[in-house]
Amino acid sequence: MNQRHQDERARIRAATERLLAGQPVASDGALTVVALAAEAGVHRMALIKRHADLKNESYERVRTDTQQVTDEERQLRQTVASQREEIRDLRHQVTRLTLAGAGLTGTPTAARPALDNVVPLRPDKN
């Protein structure tokens, strides 16, 4: 490791400590990658690419020390929750469409599931 690389890592560690202590000097104090990079005086992409281990370490400390969830994690959780809801709604829609299709195609009554809310368009010829 060259001296510049070691210096960046030391500044990132110090910036993590300041942010966790609630004493930001060069950022808004948010517990984000952007604030950490600003606080450390390094480019955000340098933090993400060259020092990913320190970024992950910082996020882990945020989770354990402050019992807080990072903005990125919060966004991911919201995305997962909305996708689960969408999947649930789609599954219900598939079930409803399958039952409606069975009622409309004239499937024999014995093979047709119980449909209390579907009225056949043509009467059975039984």
Side-chain angles (χ1 to χ4, degrees):
M1 258 187 251
N2 63 27
Q3 185 60 35
R4 189 181 124 214
H5 188 75
Q6 290 175 348
D7 181 50
E8 283 181 346
R9 292 181 70 80
R11 286 185 295 163
I12 292 167
R13 284 194 173 101
T16 298
E17 295 300 326
R18 286 194 305 274
L19 288 175
L20 288 172
Q23 301 170 343
V25 175
S27 71
D28 62 0
L31 300 174
T32 63
V33 169
V34 174
L36 180 59
E39 191 68 28
V42 298
H43 193 276
R44 181 176 51 93
M45 291 310 292
L47 180 61
I48 292 172
K49 297 210 181 235
R50 275 197 307 264
H51 307 292
D53 61 322
L54 293 179
K55 175 191 69 99
N56 294 337
E57 179 183 307
S58 174
Y59 275 170
E60 186 60 34
R61 296 230 7 235
V62 167
R63 279 191 287 279
T64 57
D65 293 1
T66 65
Q67 302 298 315
Q68 290 184 7
V69 177
T70 62
D71 291 340
E72 287 83 0
E73 188 173 347
R74 187 176 302 113
Q75 289 173 353
L76 286 173
R77 286 182 182 186
Q78 288 173 349
T79 300
V80 167
S82 66
Q83 287 177 342
R84 284 183 180 154
E85 184 178 339
E86 184 179 0
I87 289 170
R88 183 182 47 81
D89 292 344
L90 289 171
R91 285 182 176 156
H92 288 289
Q93 186 176 3
V94 166
T95 301
R96 289 190 305 268
L97 289 171
T98 302
L99 292 174
L104 295 173
T105 58
T107 306
T109 318
R112 191 181 310 156
L115 304 173
D116 298 340
N117 63 346
V118 176
V119 177
L121 296 177
R122 59 183 184 269
D124 287 338
K125 297 181 182 177
N126 293 352

